[in-house]
């Protein structure tokens, strides 16, 4: 089965991080968002993916990334969305990659999905969508199911309680969504909404509604990167291959590649993932969960706490960086 991932958006809510970098290439634990999704798909046996990209510079940057970083065992196709007219419209851009009646996995390419959520809809014999239980349904698009557990309605930010299952954008669809596009109208916010297509499709066939079995982390704003880092960094395996000078104290987990160095006197009391050709210290202090990218310098006397430092960043001597994201 193929998967369809739309990554054509501008990611304006991520600004200033998304000004020069496509949102799908913004990194968590030094790995682009879209790669997290592709790896989760691969763990479920998906080997063919269609990425819908924009027609502009961002689309070109994504193509260049995958040209330089091919995904082993996976075929990547690209479809282009010339105009950004909504989630239903972006699905239309990929219709030529599917044969009539074919089922496929649909996911947003810039959120983080646990593999078990994908496996749940993949293993279902028919069409399916996944929702996560939330305590504030009035802030989400909510799935309303009938007594058989099949999709009945999608209610956007309901003012009265209808359900607590929020649409996370992980679903199994079929090619009927392409023909139904002509039946939906532009929403009040000026876009063609996939949720409108889902409601029409639910009138024609059963769509099972599942609750999440694994994590889902929506990445909408910069601080979500810090939240995801805090969740995943403690799960890393300690791997020190680079140079650690004398009098370095380490109590947390560290990933240090061969090309990088932790200089003398540095004190690490939290987990840290360090990129290639990067130097930490001397006499730096690393607290709680931090990631540092490639070609970086975290200089003399720098204190780093709960932060994400992007590639090619220089933090000069005697600086304090806390609860922050730096991306050059």
């Amino acid at each position: 089965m193929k998967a369809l991932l739309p990554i054509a958006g501008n990611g304006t809510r991520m600004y200033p991080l998304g000004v020069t970098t496509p949102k799908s290439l913004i990194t968590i634990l030094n790995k682009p968002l879209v790669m997290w999704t592709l790896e989760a798909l691969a763990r479920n046996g998906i080997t063919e993916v269609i990425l819908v990209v924009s027609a502009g510079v961002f689309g070109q940057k994504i193509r260049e990334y995958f040209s330089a970083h091919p995904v082993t065992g996976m075929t990547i196709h690209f479809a282009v969305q010339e105009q950004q007219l909504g989630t239903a419209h972006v699905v239309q851009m990929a219709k030529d990659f599917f044969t009539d009646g074919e089922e496929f996995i649909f996911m947003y390419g810039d959120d983080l999905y646990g593999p078990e959520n994908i496996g749940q809809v993949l293993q279902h014999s028919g069409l399916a969508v996944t929702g996560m239980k939330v305590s504030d349904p009035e802030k989400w698009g909510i799935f309303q199911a009938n007594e058989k557990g099949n999709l009945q309605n999608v209610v956007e930010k309901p003012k009265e309680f209808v359900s607590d299952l929020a649409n996370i954008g992980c679903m199994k669809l079929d090619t009927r969504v392409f023909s139904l596009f002509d039946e939906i109208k532009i929403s009040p916010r000026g876009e063609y909404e996939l949720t409108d297509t889902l409601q029409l499709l639910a009138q024609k066939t059963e769509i099972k509604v599942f609750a999440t079995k694994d994590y889902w982390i929506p990445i909408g704003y910069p601080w979500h990167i810090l939240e995801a880092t805090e969740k995943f960094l403690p799960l890393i395996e300690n791997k020190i291959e680079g140079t650690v000078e004398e009098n370095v104290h380490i109590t947390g987990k560290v990933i240090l590649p061969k090309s990088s160095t932790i200089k003398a006197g540095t004190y690490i009391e939290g987990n840290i993932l360090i990129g290639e050709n990067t130097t930490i210290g001397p006499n730096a202090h690393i607290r709680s969960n931090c990631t540092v990218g490639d070609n970086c310098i975290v200089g003399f006397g720098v204190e780093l706490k709960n932060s994400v430092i992007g590639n090619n960043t220089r933090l000069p001597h005697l600086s304090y960086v806390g609860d922050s994201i730096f991306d050059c």
Side-chain angles (χ1 to χ4, degrees):
M1 189 175 294
K2 300 169 188 169
L4 168 58
L5 307 182
I7 52 174
N10 288 327
T12 53
R13 290 183 299 173
M14 294 293 290
Y15 281 8
L17 297 182
V19 172
T20 58
T21 303
K23 181 184 175 184
S24 60
L25 295 185
I26 292 173
T27 60
I28 292 177
L29 272 59
N30 294 349
K31 180 166 61 180
L33 284 171
V34 67
M35 287 301 302
W36 285 83
T37 304
L38 293 178
E39 290 179 3
L41 287 166
R43 288 177 61 178
N44 282 281
I46 301 296
T47 60
E48 190 170 2
V49 177
I50 297 92
L51 299 179
V52 184
V53 301
S54 67
V57 174
F58 278 6
Q60 183 60 33
K61 285 187 174 183
I62 292 170
R63 289 174 181 266
E64 290 172 355
Y65 175 83
F66 282 102
S67 177
H69 305 87
V71 182
T72 303
M74 183 172 283
T75 301
I76 306 291
H77 305 285
F78 294 97
V80 178
Q81 187 184 32
E82 297 284 346
Q83 293 179 283
Q84 294 179 8
L85 300 177
T87 51
H89 180 261
V90 78
V91 169
Q92 286 296 106
M93 301 302 99
K95 64 180 180 179
D96 291 341
F97 290 92
F98 299 95
T99 58
D100 189 42
E102 186 176 0
E103 294 181 342
F104 59 92
I105 298 295
F106 173 89
M107 297 165 61
Y108 295 115
D110 47 18
D111 283 352
L112 299 180
Y113 297 92
E116 290 186 35
N117 293 330
I118 302 169
Q120 185 172 226
V121 297
L122 187 63
Q123 293 161 18
H124 182 64
S125 58
L127 305 189
V129 296
T130 309
M132 173 173 275
K133 287 185 176 292
V134 294
S135 59
D136 50 355
E138 69 279 1
K139 297 180 181 180
W140 304 89
I142 296 297
F143 289 139
Q144 187 177 18
N146 61 23
E147 64 280 358
K148 294 182 178 180
N150 296 319
L151 183 66
Q152 184 176 25
N153 200 9
V154 186
V155 184
E156 188 65 30
K157 299 180 180 178
K159 295 181 180 180
E160 297 181 358
F161 183 85
V162 295
S163 167
D164 59 357
L165 282 180
N167 174 18
I168 71 170
C170 175
M171 55 193 78
K172 183 166 66 168
L173 305 174
D174 66 23
T175 54
R176 280 175 286 186
V177 298
F178 301 131
S179 59
L180 289 172
F181 179 76
D182 293 334
E183 299 182 32
I184 64 174
K185 298 179 181 180
I186 293 179
S187 69
R189 63 177 184 171
E191 296 184 350
Y192 294 98
E193 309 287 356
L194 183 59
T195 50
D196 292 340
T197 307
L198 276 178
Q199 291 187 118
L200 290 176
L201 187 59
Q203 296 171 14
K204 300 178 183 298
T205 189
E206 292 184 347
I207 303 176
K208 184 70 173 179
V209 179
F210 287 109
T212 52
K213 296 180 66 175
D214 208 338
Y215 64 82
W216 169 59
I217 304 177
I219 307 296
Y221 295 94
W223 53 86
H224 292 147
I225 294 175
L226 296 179
E227 293 173 4
T229 299
E230 186 176 0
K231 176 179 177 61
F232 292 116
L233 197 54
L235 304 179
I236 65 174
E237 296 294 331
N238 205 59
K239 188 176 182 181
I240 299 177
E241 298 179 318
T243 301
V244 179
E245 295 183 351
E246 293 183 0
N247 299 318
V248 171
H249 181 85
I250 298 175
T251 59
K253 296 178 181 178
V254 175
I255 291 182
L256 181 72
K258 292 181 180 179
S259 59
S260 296
T261 300
I262 301 176
K263 287 185 169 291
T266 295
Y267 193 101
I268 297 176
E269 58 179 331
N271 307 308
I272 181 170
L273 186 154
I274 300 168
E276 300 283 351
N277 302 307
T278 287
T279 300
I280 308 293
N283 296 335
H285 183 192
I286 310 298
R287 297 167 49 203
S288 69
N289 296 309
C290 298
T291 66
V292 182
D294 299 338
N295 307 307
C296 294
I297 294 177
V298 178
F300 173 82
V302 171
E303 183 176 359
L304 195 59
K305 168 187 168 289
N306 192 38
S307 293
V308 173
I309 309 302
N311 296 338
N312 307 305
T313 302
R314 305 291 190 267
L315 299 180
H317 59 282
L318 303 177
S319 298
Y320 170 76
V321 177
D323 305 295
S324 300
I325 299 172
F326 279 64
D327 190 1
C328 296

